[in-house]
Amino acid sequence: MWKTVLRRVIIMVPQIIILSMLVFIIAKLMPGDPFTGLMGPETDTNRIEELREAAGLNDPWYQQYARWVTNAIQGDFGKSYTYQRSVSSLIGERALNTFYLSLVAMILTYLIAIPLGLLAGRHQDSRLDRGIVFYNFLSMAVPSFVLGLILIYVFGYKLGWVPTSGSVNILTEKGSFAYFWDKLYHIITPAITMAILGTYTIIQYLRSEIIDAKNQDYVKTARSKGLPMNKVYTRHIFRNSLIPIAAGLGFTVTGLLGGTIFIETIFSYPGMGELFMSSIASRDYSVITALIVLYGFLGLLGSMLSDIILSIVDPRIRID
């Protein structure tokens, strides 16, 4: 197991290098640079050119990339020209908010999806099953920004039950119970939005697994021995059907982290996703490059975690 994990980690290194190189080149090919926004009718173009030269933006791309990689290995991803702060501290501050949001969203996703998937599979072709399938198609078809805006309008503006933006009230004392409660209060609406939109894959997969398992030989054997149907489901069908769901946990986590890009922007939630979108708008290349590499790394990490979890929950499977 450990040899396989080590081999997967080693394989990730060239993948990250190729990803970072592609992202860096594409970012350089985009029009403008961080100093473009400073241009105006009375702006001294010589001063702008001096700033570009001092920032190393006039150097060939490979020199800039080599300089960026050298600094990134030391934990320095450069400076954000928009926020006038180091990229590492900026992302670190936002990453905690995104982590909290993704964690709550993941818990809600499984709390909604697993019972619905189990019920739909067990009661196939019933009214309950058709209702769950309809909900599934609806959650798959509705764009995240539509559902997010509806929840903001209804529960935020009309009913006033939840905040419509931010991650915490600035007047709340940091570290107190009220602080954590207020953070959860701000997270709940975007997390519910992500959970509703993220359940369709799990529900559909779980429903199909249970329907297939009903006709398996081990189920027929259990029933022929007189085992009550409820025990057949709880001891055999549900347990085996949940194995692929557990294996997909890694992909679910990375998927939620990537999905926060749109949700955080809609809810003005100060996380990595909102930072990513604002950095694109302001052409803050250092932040854009660091975030895309980070998202790529998380995707590779999620793939590896899913393989490891699958090999743990099902010892018959060995990862290579």
Side-chain angles (χ1 to χ4, degrees):
M1 170 65 80
W2 290 110
K3 289 182 181 178
T4 304
V5 173
L6 181 61
R7 188 162 61 245
R8 292 291 296 269
V9 172
I10 293 173
I11 292 174
M12 285 171 58
V13 174
Q15 292 174 326
I16 293 293
I17 292 174
I18 293 172
L19 174 66
S20 65
M21 190 178 294
L22 287 175
V23 171
F24 194 86
I25 293 172
I26 292 173
K28 291 300 173 186
L29 291 176
M30 291 171 65
D33 57 42
F35 301 111
T36 303
L38 302 177
M39 298 291 286
E42 299 179 355
T43 304
D44 184 357
T45 56
N46 293 327
R47 177 57 185 158
I48 297 295
E49 194 57 33
E50 288 176 3
L51 291 173
R52 285 176 176 151
E53 184 68 25
L57 298 180
N58 291 332
D59 295 340
W61 72 268
Y62 52 85
Q63 290 185 9
Q64 296 183 48
Y65 176 73
R67 190 163 51 240
W68 181 83
V69 170
T70 304
N71 294 330
I73 292 173
Q74 302 172 20
D76 181 9
F77 289 92
K79 181 180 178 182
S80 167
Y81 293 99
T82 303
Y83 295 91
Q84 294 298 311
R85 295 177 52 189
S86 72
V87 175
S88 301
S89 65
L90 188 60
I91 292 178
E93 184 181 275
R94 301 294 189 97
L96 205 55
N97 285 337
T98 297
F99 172 75
Y100 290 143
L101 174 59
S102 300
L103 180 64
V104 175
M106 183 184 68
I107 293 171
L108 292 175
T109 299
Y110 280 102
L111 285 177
I112 296 171
I114 290 179
L116 292 182
L118 295 176
L119 289 171
R122 178 167 182 174
H123 303 285
Q124 182 188 5
D125 295 332
S126 65
R127 288 186 179 180
L128 178 63
D129 178 36
R130 286 193 286 271
I132 294 172
V133 170
F134 176 75
Y135 157 78
N136 221 26
F137 282 122
L138 195 64
S139 65
M140 184 175 59
V142 176
S144 58
F145 66 89
V146 172
L147 181 61
L149 290 176
I150 290 174
L151 294 182
I152 290 174
Y153 177 75
V154 175
F155 296 103
Y157 288 108
K158 282 294 181 182
L159 300 176
W161 290 355
V162 293
T164 56
S165 62
S167 65
V168 70
N169 191 328
I170 58 174
L171 299 178
T172 308
E173 182 183 356
K174 195 172 183 179
S176 62
F177 176 77
Y179 180 83
F180 288 104
W181 180 254
D182 196 54
K183 285 191 81 71
L184 182 62
Y185 184 51
H186 282 75
I187 282 173
I188 195 66
T189 314
I192 288 175
T193 306
M194 292 177 66
I196 291 175
L197 299 175
T199 54
Y200 65 89
T201 304
I202 299 174
I203 291 175
Q204 186 62 35
Y205 206 88
L206 196 52
R207 178 180 180 272
S208 301
E209 285 288 321
I210 291 175
I211 292 173
D212 290 341
K214 288 178 182 177
N215 299 316
Q216 295 296 318
D217 291 339
Y218 68 90
V219 174
K220 294 177 181 176
T221 303
R223 294 197 63 185
S224 65
K225 290 181 178 179
L227 196 67
M229 202 59 200
N230 284 336
K231 290 188 177 179
V232 173
Y233 272 101
T234 54
R235 291 185 181 180
H236 299 284
I237 297 178
F238 288 168
R239 184 178 298 178
N240 290 326
S241 300
L242 286 172
I243 289 176
I245 303 301
L249 181 63
F251 285 118
T252 302
V253 173
T254 52
L256 287 172
L257 287 170
T260 58
I261 291 175
F262 298 105
I263 296 297
E264 289 179 359
T265 305
I266 294 166
F267 285 89
S268 299
Y269 184 81
M272 291 198 305
E274 194 270 341
L275 175 64
F276 183 66
M277 296 300 286
S278 63
S279 299
I280 291 176
S282 60
R283 296 187 177 90
D284 203 343
Y285 297 131
S286 52
V287 178
I288 295 171
T289 307
L291 282 175
I292 292 180
V293 172
L294 180 60
Y295 280 124
F297 171 75
L298 291 174
L300 294 172
L301 190 64
S303 173
M304 187 178 70
L305 284 176
S306 290
D307 288 344
I308 293 172
I309 294 171
L310 183 60
S311 67
I312 291 173
V313 297
D314 190 351
R316 297 170 299 176
I317 299 175
R318 292 288 179 267
I319 56 176
D320 297 320

